Amino acid sequence: MKTIKLIIISIVTLGMVSCEDFLSTEPLTTVTDANYYKTPSDAYTALVGCYDGLQTVWAGGVALPLAAEVMSDNCFGGTGASDAYNFQAIDHFDVSLAPSYQNLYGDNWTAYYRAVYRCNVLLSKMDQIEWGTEENLQAIYEAEARFIRAYLYFDMVRMWGNIPLITEPTTENLPQADPADVYAMIAGDLIFAIENLSSLPYTSQDPATYGRVTKWAAEALLGRVYLFYTGYYDQTDLVGVVNQSQALSYVEDVITNGGFGLVEDFANLWPAASVENYAGEDNKETVFAIKYTFTSDYNGNTDGNHWLVMYGLREQSFYPYGNGWGGGTVNPKLWNAYADTDTRKIASIISVEDEGLDFDLDRQREYTGYANKKYTPMSDMDGNSVAVEMGGTNFMIGQFQDYVSIRYADVLLMAAELGSGNAQTHLDMVRQRAYGDNFTPLAVTPVSIMKERYLEFALEGIWYYDLLRQGLDTAAEAIEESTTVTNAGVVEPKTITTAKFMETKGLMQIPNSQITLSSGVLKQNTGW
């Protein structure tokens, strides 16, 4: 069962505007600044609204964990044989493949800025709240809200590169900021979170903190931000705020003092890979996760994992795998990259043939024989949706698997990459779990660390950004593809050239609707 439920809190979005205004956020309510944000309880309710904003950024549109896998060399677009070619446009960085669909990420843009607005409102009201004897909560709530804002902006600046930077509750029509300014805000927010969550008495595995930000999550995310920014933008430090030594100290603090550990069996991290042996949500390896539950409906509750259904086998169930829309079919190159002795192979990927699944090819586009096992809907032995059996409205919006954004294994490999004196130990820990009795040591080098990240975090929405931070040429070499796929039962060529990738610099399309809404203040990314 879920240990935390985040609900939509409309009262946290004050100072509303018309839905036609630029970056519009929420409907007008009767709650105003004059009669709200007075007590610590009010602040907590607003904070829950911030978490809810993060939870819902992928409820519509294209979820980043899926888009990132499709853009990488791990997955193709897939989906149904008669569907529009939207996911192929993402796969090829070419919207001309879906000419009628000019707003690939329109819902996501709106949802991200809505969530940012919630955080900005709460942060702007901290000083008017009467904290009384609970004054310590002010810094804690502010730290959590600033982490969420940093997380949102890190997603956005990696996705779109050139985005408005909004740090106050406004719907003003602002131009795009220099990415360095966005990263400076992200770094500042995360450092504030680290400093103001450091004195809390709970550990990372305290049930009271499940789903909530901790110091360890902020330190780990800052390490990830440092590595991406310095790699993608070819810089020596994070906007002059965090250098390599400081980034290493943050992630090593997580290792030394965070109380985390690796789940002994890699398969047990994933419900469909382990079923009855699943280690559970909020296990000892979870540093930060976006929480979901099965209570989504069509009346305003948006608590479910709405994007998981995209990864499901196309309109077919085979225990324990539930049906879905067949998106993100796995490139056979990934399957073949694993040694047969690597337990991550069968824990990460559904192999239709090896598992003896009688899959009907007629409804599937870009069938490869492989699908995502880490994130997939589940069914019981009779083919019934587990989400529906738990109480979900339907299998499309009732999925409840959390998105584990940061695992302890990631922290270990970040520390190794950043030059930890224990780099060999960190790398060995990750590989020993993967290979068990077949483990053999591998020397620590930039190449060996990246190879391990490729195998460890495949299909989790991480590898694409690891590719980008190695340089566009390196990423293009990996993404370029010439193979075959099966479309509605017919084997056809699948070729991905990299000219559009290089032109776009790996960035996503800014929704054209937003450019129009801004009266041209926003500019489209090159190549889109």
Side-chain angles (χ1 to χ4, degrees):
M1 296 294 291
K2 305 298 291 185
T3 56
I4 184 171
K5 177 186 175 184
L6 299 179
I7 58 175
I8 293 177
I9 305 294
S10 60
I11 54 178
V12 304
T13 51
L14 308 180
M16 305 305 155
V17 297
S18 165
C19 63
E20 296 179 355
D21 287 341
F22 178 71
L23 291 179
S24 61
T25 54
E26 303 283 347
L28 185 69
T29 74
T30 57
V31 181
T32 69
D33 288 1
N35 62 17
Y36 199 67
Y37 292 105
K38 292 183 176 180
T39 69
S41 178
D42 295 338
Y44 179 76
T45 300
L47 178 62
V48 172
C50 296
Y51 277 100
D52 180 77
L54 174 60
Q55 183 190 54
T56 59
V57 290
W58 305 324
V62 183
L64 181 57
L66 173 57
E69 291 301 321
V70 171
M71 289 188 293
S72 80
D73 56 333
N74 284 343
C75 294
F76 301 136
T79 68
S82 61
D83 287 347
Y85 287 86
N86 302 341
F87 277 62
Q88 284 65 40
I90 293 170
D91 197 7
H92 292 258
F93 297 84
D94 188 354
V95 77
S96 70
L97 295 175
S100 64
Y101 198 55
Q102 295 296 310
N103 294 290
L104 292 173
Y105 304 98
D107 288 345
N108 306 101
W109 180 282
T110 301
Y112 270 103
Y113 275 105
R114 179 184 294 121
V116 166
Y117 186 88
R118 291 183 177 195
C119 295
N120 286 340
V121 169
L122 174 58
L123 292 171
S124 72
K125 304 300 180 185
M126 286 292 181
D127 290 340
Q128 77 178 44
I129 294 170
E130 299 172 2
W131 295 97
T133 59
E134 298 181 282
E135 187 175 0
N136 65 309
L137 292 179
Q138 178 174 356
I140 294 172
Y141 291 175
E142 181 174 350
E144 291 181 77
R146 290 181 66 167
F147 173 95
I148 294 169
R149 184 173 69 176
Y151 189 104
L152 294 163
Y153 268 113
F154 186 43
D155 272 4
M156 289 195 290
V157 75
R158 286 183 301 164
M159 292 166 69
W160 295 299
N162 306 291
I163 58 174
L165 176 60
I166 303 173
T167 58
E168 297 179 353
T170 179
T171 55
E172 184 180 354
N173 188 4
L174 297 176
Q176 288 134 305
D178 185 326
D181 293 336
V182 179
Y183 277 95
M185 189 226 70
I186 292 169
D189 276 356
L190 291 177
I191 289 171
F192 182 92
I194 292 166
E195 292 174 347
N196 288 278
L197 295 174
S198 61
S199 62
L200 295 181
Y202 52 67
T203 67
S204 59
Q205 297 305 301
D206 188 330
T209 71
Y210 288 169
R212 293 184 67 174
V213 176
T214 65
K215 170 190 176 182
W216 322 115
E219 289 182 320
L221 183 58
L222 190 53
R224 180 178 289 179
V225 172
Y226 171 88
L227 286 169
F228 182 79
Y229 179 81
T230 55
Y232 184 75
Y233 293 99
D234 192 24
Q235 299 294 312
T236 57
D237 59 29
L238 177 56
V239 291
V241 177
V242 178
N243 60 32
Q244 182 173 338
S245 176
Q246 292 168 319
L248 175 60
S249 70
Y250 285 128
V251 295
E252 288 202 315
D253 186 44
V254 180
I255 295 169
T256 303
N257 299 307
F260 299 96
L262 296 179
V263 169
E264 288 73 14
D265 187 335
F266 184 83
N268 292 351
L269 288 167
W270 316 107
S274 56
V275 189
E276 295 181 0
N277 295 318
Y278 175 44
E281 298 168 349
D282 310 298
N283 59 64
K284 64 181 179 179
E285 193 163 338
T286 301
V287 179
F288 184 70
I290 297 178
K291 307 289 293 182
Y292 296 108
T293 190
F294 50 81
T295 54
S296 281
D297 56 32
Y298 295 110
N299 297 313
N301 294 315
T302 315
D303 308 321
N305 184 333
H306 291 195
W307 55 269
L308 195 71
V309 69
M310 291 303 303
Y311 269 130
L313 296 171
R314 183 71 191 191
E315 299 179 50
Q316 298 165 73
S317 295
F318 303 93
Y319 174 78
Y321 316 125
N323 69 316
W325 306 138
T329 52
V330 173
N331 189 336
K333 181 177 79 170
L334 178 61
W335 174 264
N336 294 327
Y338 289 97
D340 289 340
T341 53
D342 189 336
T343 61
R344 295 173 296 195
K345 184 173 189 173
I346 62 172
S348 301
I349 302 172
I350 299 170
S351 174
V352 172
E353 182 177 348
D354 290 317
E355 297 185 35
L357 309 181
D358 186 19
F359 188 82
D360 180 358
L361 303 182
D362 290 343
R363 289 171 281 182
Q364 178 70 57
R365 174 181 294 153
E366 295 185 328
Y367 173 79
T368 63
Y370 302 103
N372 190 333
K373 189 180 291 188
K374 290 180 175 178
Y375 289 101
T376 191
M378 294 182 66
S379 71
D380 64 16
M381 292 184 180
D382 296 321
N384 300 311
S385 168
V386 171
V388 173
E389 290 181 340
M390 297 258 316
T393 297
N394 58 47
F395 76 98
M396 293 182 289
I397 65 172
Q399 301 298 329
F400 53 85
Q401 183 178 341
D402 292 347
Y403 174 59
V404 183
S405 172
I406 307 174
R407 291 196 282 116
Y408 184 58
D410 196 355
V411 178
L412 292 172
L413 292 181
M414 283 195 290
E417 185 176 350
L418 288 165
S420 170
N422 296 312
Q424 188 67 59
T425 299
H426 298 334
L427 178 61
D428 286 349
M429 286 176 65
V430 174
R431 298 186 73 251
Q432 281 175 330
R433 175 178 62 180
Y435 291 95
D437 293 339
N438 296 301
F439 166 76
T440 56
L442 187 66
V444 175
T445 67
V447 172
S448 65
I449 292 172
M450 277 298 169
K451 178 182 178 181
E452 217 55 45
R453 293 187 65 84
Y454 172 54
L455 300 173
E456 178 73 18
F457 306 117
L459 310 179
E460 297 178 44
I462 293 174
W463 175 241
Y464 178 66
Y465 292 107
D466 282 343
L467 278 178
L468 285 188
R469 65 186 179 87
Q470 295 177 70
L472 292 179
D473 289 339
T474 298
E477 183 179 356
I479 290 169
E480 190 172 23
E481 187 67 68
S482 181
T483 186
T484 59
V485 294
T486 302
N487 294 311
V490 179
V491 177
E492 296 179 336
K494 168 76 175 182
T495 302
I496 299 177
T497 59
T498 58
K500 292 295 291 183
F501 168 78
M502 295 297 289
E503 188 180 359
T504 63
K505 298 181 181 179
L507 299 176
M508 300 181 186
Q509 180 202 51
I510 293 173
N512 284 312
S513 59
Q514 292 295 327
I515 293 173
T516 300
L517 194 59
S518 74
S519 299
V521 171
L522 294 181
K523 308 300 180 184
Q524 184 58 270
N525 284 329
T526 302
W528 289 103

